[in-house]
Amino acid sequence: MLGVIAITIIAGALWAGLPSGPAKATETTAAAIAAPANSEPSPNPPVIRNLVVARGDTLMALMVKAGVPRGEAYAAITAVSKVYEPRDIKPGLRVTVTRRANEPGDPLLLWGLDIDVDVRQRVALRRDDAGGFRAVSLERALTARVVQAGGVIKSSLYLAGRRAEVPAAVLAKLIRIFSFDVDFQRDVQPDDSFEVTYERLHDEAGAAVAEGAILIAEMVLSGKRMRLYRHVTEDGETDYYDARGRSVRKALVVTPIDGARISSGFGRRRHPILGYTKMHRGTDFAAPRGTPVYGAGRGVIERAGRNGAFGHYIRIRHNGTYKTAYAHLKGYARGVKRGKRVKQGQVIGYVGSSGRSTGPHLHYEILRNGKQINPKRLNLPSGRILKGADLARFQAARGALEERAAGLPGAQRTAGAD
Ligand SMILES: [Zn+2]
């Protein structure tokens, strides 16, 4: 906790005053602020409005909507801006406006304003004794608990994951970890399986408020087990490594798309999913229109525009040898144009059915020296390989992680199959 918290009880008021000193405190303080001074029913209850920020809303507009006069709202926003940039409010944020009269029957005054910025931060404004406003930024202390889930895949990894109660955001991360090597359209088969060990963040009341990092990611594809460990090297780089300390990161990914949304490759009948053949020199990923397409690797956009039967098309030059191309797009991500640099995993466009196409899908090509190549033959060197002291540190951390995973109580293990 930061600083000494002085709590002033206003007689009969719902809240105590704000902490003095540094404009930062923990959620414990917030709880103290929000706690009723006593349990007697107040003859002068506050009027509380819970609002959700909509697109185009400003803090001023929200407060006016909640009945706060403009002058008061302006003074409150001035105070808030000392700890938070009011223009940063975005759609979906929860804002609570509290008004209260000095005496029963008096006009309502702005008493408090709370902005839930994210799971870690809340901004709280209170009227002070002198009739002015004070705002603080409150940081929630979150604790991480490790949970594990896994299951057998019957139709898609996404469905199996949801069945095992793995949050969508964790599944998306899991897929991205494996997307360097796995073609999520074709490599996943019925009875393959997955297991994920990840952190769940809890607030001080014990409620799960967010998902943290994936610590161990495992997929068993056609009997081949791939088990990867999150590791932060001394230079601060976070990556996933196999048991021998080899990073799975590569210069190009095999699945350059939000893999959770890929229509399952098996059991589909409506339109055949083409893999790389002599006739078809690319890889198709069937996914709903609008699914984000990622740049497969770092590079410079060489072309972004209409390209005949390919429709809306992007080509990235990665180095002197490799290029990747993306066709039948619905459109381009903002700022994607010729000459622009892109990072690996950056959204460059969206799945569509432009050009000569039978339905929404991404046609992806990897070009080596100008010729399309089968991604299966793409033998890119793996990323970083840990050695010496780095490797020893990794192996020690991996051992501890495995021990922790093995010790997870049965109640926290879930299993499911879709
Ligand atoms: Zn194709």
Side-chain angles (χ1 to χ4, degrees):
M1 196 179 293
L2 293 159
V4 179
I5 311 307
I7 296 174
T8 333
I9 308 289
I10 303 165
L14 181 66
W15 297 318
L18 284 174
S20 57
K24 262 198 173 183
T26 66
E27 188 67 3
T28 324
T29 320
I33 293 169
N38 56 49
S39 55
E40 279 172 38
S42 170
N44 188 18
V47 177
I48 299 171
R49 283 284 302 273
N50 293 303
L51 302 157
V52 176
V53 177
R55 190 184 287 268
D57 268 348
T58 61
L59 202 48
M60 174 62 90
L62 278 173
M63 291 171 78
V64 169
K65 198 197 282 179
V68 179
R70 278 186 175 272
E72 236 185 352
Y74 182 78
I77 290 168
T78 304
V80 163
S81 64
K82 287 179 185 148
V83 296
Y84 176 72
E85 171 54 66
R87 276 174 301 193
D88 287 347
I89 65 161
K90 43 181 184 281
L93 284 192
R94 284 179 302 143
V95 174
T96 306
V97 176
T98 305
R99 292 178 303 149
R100 189 169 179 271
N102 265 327
E103 299 290 339
D106 281 0
L108 290 170
L109 299 170
L110 177 64
W111 217 255
L113 175 72
D114 292 86
I115 306 167
D116 281 305
V117 177
D118 56 36
V119 293
R120 291 177 188 276
Q121 188 197 3
R122 187 175 131 204
V123 169
L125 170 114
R126 297 290 180 270
R127 176 175 288 273
D128 64 21
D129 291 346
F133 294 109
R134 288 203 46 209
V136 290
S137 172
L138 303 157
E139 274 178 25
R140 286 193 175 102
L142 301 180
T143 49
R145 291 181 202 167
V146 177
V147 291
Q148 191 176 66
V152 173
I153 301 163
K154 292 297 178 195
S155 69
S156 81
L157 171 60
Y158 186 75
L159 289 176
R162 296 301 287 162
R163 192 66 53 89
E165 293 174 19
V166 179
V170 174
L171 276 173
K173 278 185 199 168
L174 180 72
I175 287 167
R176 285 188 91 155
I177 292 168
F178 284 103
S179 67
F180 293 100
D181 290 305
V182 175
D183 173 339
F184 276 92
Q185 185 85 67
R186 279 153 288 264
D187 292 348
V188 183
Q189 299 295 327
D191 295 326
D192 284 347
S193 64
F194 79 98
E195 186 190 272
V196 58
T197 305
Y198 63 100
E199 290 175 330
R200 188 178 282 163
L201 304 175
H202 293 256
D203 66 12
E204 282 165 333
V209 291
E211 310 309 334
I214 290 180
L215 304 177
I216 307 176
E218 182 183 280
M219 289 203 73
V220 181
L221 301 178
S222 302
K224 190 184 165 213
R225 180 181 304 266
M226 293 179 284
R227 192 166 172 86
L228 306 172
Y229 303 84
R230 181 179 192 268
H231 183 66
V232 186
T233 43
E234 298 236 276
D235 56 15
E237 294 284 329
T238 303
D239 227 327
Y240 288 85
Y241 295 86
D242 68 11
R244 289 159 66 186
R246 296 175 304 188
S247 160
V248 289
R249 186 174 299 280
K250 290 190 173 142
L252 298 176
V253 304
V254 166
T255 302
I257 187 174
D258 176 354
R261 302 227 241 158
I262 285 176
S263 319
S264 148
F266 39 94
R268 293 188 90 259
R269 280 188 206 99
R270 257 192 301 153
H271 83 82
I273 303 305
L274 296 172
Y276 192 93
T277 65
K278 261 189 180 159
M279 299 296 292
H280 179 260
R281 296 170 184 278
T283 310
D284 288 345
F285 293 96
R289 206 179 291 274
T291 298
V293 173
Y294 308 132
R298 192 161 51 127
V300 177
I301 295 177
E302 194 176 63
R303 188 162 177 176
R306 283 216 167 251
N307 185 8
F310 281 142
H312 290 292
Y313 175 89
I314 296 173
R315 192 163 64 226
I316 302 174
R317 181 182 183 277
H318 300 286
N319 53 38
T321 310
Y322 286 103
K323 292 176 184 178
T324 51
Y326 313 79
H328 309 306
L329 302 174
K330 173 174 173 248
Y332 310 92
R334 189 195 291 234
V336 166
K337 47 181 172 239
R338 203 174 140 188
K340 288 279 182 186
R341 299 200 147 271
V342 288
K343 287 187 273 194
Q344 184 168 58
Q346 182 182 331
V347 175
I348 54 170
Y350 304 93
V351 168
S353 191
S354 59
R356 202 188 306 143
S357 166
T358 52
H361 76 286
L362 170 70
H363 171 96
Y364 173 51
E365 288 181 359
I366 300 177
L367 300 108
R368 181 162 60 203
N369 297 322
K371 284 206 176 98
Q372 295 95 331
I373 61 157
N374 186 345
K376 294 278 171 209
R377 303 248 171 79
L378 179 70
N379 225 338
L380 291 175
S382 69
R384 192 164 175 169
I385 298 170
L386 300 175
K387 291 195 178 82
D390 275 342
L391 182 61
R393 235 171 53 83
F394 166 73
Q395 293 298 10
R398 184 175 77 88
L401 206 52
E402 283 289 20
E403 214 163 281
R404 195 172 176 193
L408 287 177
Q412 288 190 311
R413 278 173 180 266
T414 55
D418 66 321

